[in-house]
Amino acid sequence: MTKQSFIRGTMILLAAGLLNRILGFVPRITLPRVVGAEGVGLYQLGYPLLVVLLTVITGGIPLAVAKLVAAAESEGNERKAKDVLRLSLVFAVSLAVVFTGALLLGAQWLSQELLNDERVYYTLLAMSPMLLVVGVSAVFRGYFQGRQNMVPTALSQTAETVARIVAMLVFAYALLPYGVAMAAAGAMFGVTVGEVCGLAVIVYQYFRTRSAYKAFHTAAIGVSGAPRRLAASFKEMLRIAIPVTGSRMVGSASYFLESVMTVKALAIAGVAVAAATTQYGSLQGMVIPVLLLPGVLTYSLSVSLVPTLAEAAARGDTRLIHKRLHQSLRLALVSGAPFAVLMYVLAEPICFFLYNDAEVGGMLKLMAPVAVFLYFQGPLQATLQALDRPGTALLNTFYGAAIKLTLIYLLATRPEFGIYGVLAAINVNIALVTILHWNSVVRLVKYYFPLGDVLKTAVAAGASGWAAHAIFLGEWHPSPLLRFLSAGVGAVALYLVFVVLLKLVDKDDVGRLPFPRRK
């Protein structure tokens, strides 16, 4: 039996998460080259619905399973741990079967009436088996989390990512001769294949470790009335899972409604169905992934910030809360600002060399200025969660989502705006939610971020942006690719020089990064 400490378990999941995010960018680069922006659009139109269904099926189940299994293990009650696993599997499988049937029966109506493109029908069919697979996987991941054994989850996630990358590209390419709709469905089926591989790995880990848990625990506790015992465990599981599922539904429902309202608003603006699908695919499948890529570091900061702030809050150590929060926000600003500037200055070449589509660069350039707000949002939300204010974070997210959907309808329905109205609505949402989070944190802990750090970062980022612009547009070499790579490297090097000269990062800041720190 392998049981890790909290820090070690977090590091295992963090390493796997970072690896998977980097690997996950591979199909985002290659898939548009295989199926085109229109194929990516058909894939992306089906994806938000998948997120909503998986939220309903899994939602808070993994957390509930983890809490109950951990409690049972601390009591030495192996029978209860097994009961929780069996009950959660039955519950997740039952929900998955019901929603899979509903999806298959309603796929035609959903694609034609709700998503406004009948070609999405094949994508919806291809993703239907995933509901059952992901539901079962989520239960086992919660089970191992409760056992404080993060290795099976990390191995499962990595296997799923690798298999998904290969399967998405293989099936999309193989079905491309049958049309772009079938190619998009092939890409979605590749995701299903990846989930099956991830499930196989974690189920194998369960059977491999099951005997160890049996050997570790002695006689079961609480052997009276099985129906009563199971009913009590089920009720306890729902008590934990339902509120978490409800809170997560806000984000997933907003994502789904965004996709629905976007295609319908573009149709009202007079954009043809195929063109609207292509534009939505360019936004969600090309622009957003580039915008989110630098967030790998801020995600890591958020993960490491939660336990530190929670511990400081438990001790009432306000000074330490301010210090750790300042370090995390400053690192988020310092690491995110140069990428935001480079995405603005080099938007067209970035999209050309990644996707062979320079026109998408216009969308990236419009969204780049709000990227820093996005990178700030993670640590701020983590702070609210660590200080036991998840409800505040939820309300802030809800307000932002409501305004975003309203703006999509008001702006994207106007022909002079079109898809850029959607971009403006998303930008407002990102900035607004970050500002609301900031206001909530300031009121909660009476914290203020020094204006000097903002000005120093702006100077450093501005200098790096100027350097990138000068190097890329210079006529010193005929190869655009070489000038692009040189512009990126030169800008980052100059930025690092300014970071050192302006003392934006010190040794203590580096020590907060979630990597081995001994050196």
Side-chain angles (χ1 to χ4, degrees):
M1 179 176 61
T2 306
K3 186 173 182 178
Q4 299 97 28
S5 67
F6 172 77
I7 296 299
R8 186 181 177 192
T10 301
M11 290 301 298
I12 290 172
L13 288 181
L14 181 59
L18 292 174
L19 175 63
N20 293 337
R21 288 192 69 171
I22 294 171
L23 290 176
F25 204 71
V26 173
R28 293 190 179 277
I29 296 174
T30 53
L31 188 62
R33 294 176 176 268
V34 176
V35 301
E38 188 175 1
V40 173
L42 292 172
Y43 172 87
Q44 289 293 339
L45 280 176
Y47 190 76
L49 177 60
L50 174 65
V51 172
V52 171
L53 294 177
L54 290 179
T55 301
V56 175
I57 294 170
T58 60
I61 292 294
L63 178 62
V65 172
K67 282 189 172 183
L68 295 177
V69 168
E73 189 173 48
S74 66
E75 299 167 0
N77 190 347
E78 184 64 17
R79 177 184 291 274
K80 184 177 180 180
K82 299 299 183 184
D83 285 346
V84 169
L85 177 62
R86 295 189 186 103
L87 283 170
S88 55
L89 282 174
V90 171
F91 183 66
V93 169
S94 300
L95 284 178
V97 169
V98 169
F99 281 101
T100 300
L103 177 60
L104 292 174
L105 291 174
Q108 196 77 49
W109 179 84
L110 288 167
S111 57
Q112 292 178 353
E113 303 298 329
L114 205 59
L115 299 174
N116 217 45
D117 194 328
E118 60 183 10
R119 296 173 299 171
V120 186
Y121 173 74
Y122 301 105
T123 300
L124 298 182
L125 294 182
M127 77 185 193
S128 58
M130 207 184 311
L131 302 181
L132 178 61
V133 176
V134 174
V136 175
S137 294
V139 170
F140 278 108
R141 288 173 182 175
Y143 171 80
F144 280 112
Q145 184 180 348
R147 297 290 195 184
Q148 298 182 46
N149 184 3
M150 305 305 177
V151 172
T153 297
L155 292 176
S156 171
Q157 290 175 343
T158 304
E160 180 270 323
T161 301
V162 174
R164 170 166 50 85
I165 292 171
V166 175
M168 280 181 70
L169 299 177
V170 168
F171 283 108
Y173 183 79
L175 294 177
L176 186 59
Y178 300 97
V180 68
M182 293 300 294
M188 184 62 77
F189 185 73
V191 178
T192 303
V193 172
E195 293 290 351
V196 170
C197 292
L199 174 61
V201 169
I202 204 163
V203 169
Y204 167 76
Q205 291 292 321
Y206 169 73
F207 284 106
R208 189 178 69 84
T209 59
R210 185 173 57 170
S211 59
Y213 291 122
K214 284 182 178 180
F216 182 74
H217 292 285
T218 55
I221 299 175
V223 295
S224 61
R228 186 183 306 171
R229 187 185 70 244
L230 292 174
S233 296
F234 184 66
K235 184 177 180 180
E236 196 174 2
M237 183 180 70
L238 291 182
R239 181 184 59 81
I240 299 172
I242 289 177
V244 177
T245 301
S247 64
R248 291 181 179 175
M249 276 298 295
V250 173
S252 58
S254 168
Y255 183 34
F256 174 64
L257 291 175
E258 176 190 315
S259 67
V260 172
M261 291 190 65
T262 295
V263 294
K264 289 191 174 296
L266 293 177
I268 294 173
V271 180
V273 172
T277 303
T278 300
Q279 291 176 1
Y280 184 75
S282 298
L283 171 61
Q284 291 292 341
M286 300 182 188
V287 175
I288 298 297
V290 174
L291 203 70
L292 293 177
L293 188 61
V296 172
L297 177 58
T298 55
Y299 167 77
S300 305
L301 289 170
S302 302
V303 171
S304 63
L305 186 64
V306 171
T308 303
L309 290 186
E311 183 180 352
R315 297 199 309 263
D317 192 343
T318 305
R319 183 175 176 275
L320 182 59
I321 291 176
H322 286 181
K323 180 180 180 181
R324 296 309 185 211
L325 178 59
H326 176 66
Q327 287 174 328
S328 297
L329 290 177
R330 185 167 61 173
L331 284 172
L333 175 65
V334 171
S335 63
F339 289 103
V341 171
L342 289 179
M343 284 187 289
Y344 181 83
V345 174
L346 302 175
E348 286 81 5
I350 286 174
C351 292
F352 176 77
F353 290 117
L354 283 180
Y355 307 120
N356 198 29
D357 191 347
E359 293 183 3
V360 180
M363 296 186 190
L364 180 60
K365 178 169 285 190
L366 184 63
M367 297 197 72
V370 302
V372 176
F373 286 94
L374 186 62
Y375 307 145
F376 252 58
Q377 199 173 112
L380 289 173
Q381 183 160 326
T383 300
L384 292 173
Q385 292 172 343
L387 300 180
D388 202 23
R389 293 294 189 278
T392 302
L394 175 62
L395 279 177
N396 294 342
T397 304
F398 175 78
Y399 296 145
I403 291 177
K404 176 184 67 174
L405 295 175
T406 303
L407 288 176
I408 287 176
Y409 179 77
L410 293 176
L411 298 178
T413 53
R414 300 176 62 177
E416 62 268 29
F417 292 130
I419 190 65
Y420 285 93
V422 179
L423 291 174
I426 294 175
N427 282 355
V428 170
N429 170 67
I430 292 172
L432 177 61
V433 172
T434 303
I435 292 171
L436 289 175
H437 282 353
W438 169 260
N439 183 60
S440 299
V441 169
V442 168
R443 292 175 60 186
L444 183 63
V445 299
K446 303 297 186 292
Y447 167 78
Y448 298 97
F449 192 82
L451 182 61
D453 287 346
V454 177
L455 295 177
K456 290 178 183 179
T457 306
V459 170
S464 67
W466 173 83
H469 183 268
I471 294 172
F472 180 71
L473 293 182
E475 298 296 334
W476 56 275
H477 197 279
S479 171
L481 177 60
L482 180 61
R483 295 203 309 271
F484 168 68
L485 294 176
S486 300
V489 172
V492 171
L494 181 61
Y495 182 78
L496 292 176
V497 170
F498 271 93
V499 165
V500 174
L501 292 177
L502 297 176
K503 298 181 179 179
L504 285 168
V505 176
D506 56 30
K507 184 171 67 174
D508 195 27
D509 292 327
V510 176
R512 292 300 306 157
L513 292 175
F515 305 110
R517 311 177 205 170
R518 181 169 299 178
K519 290 185 179 180

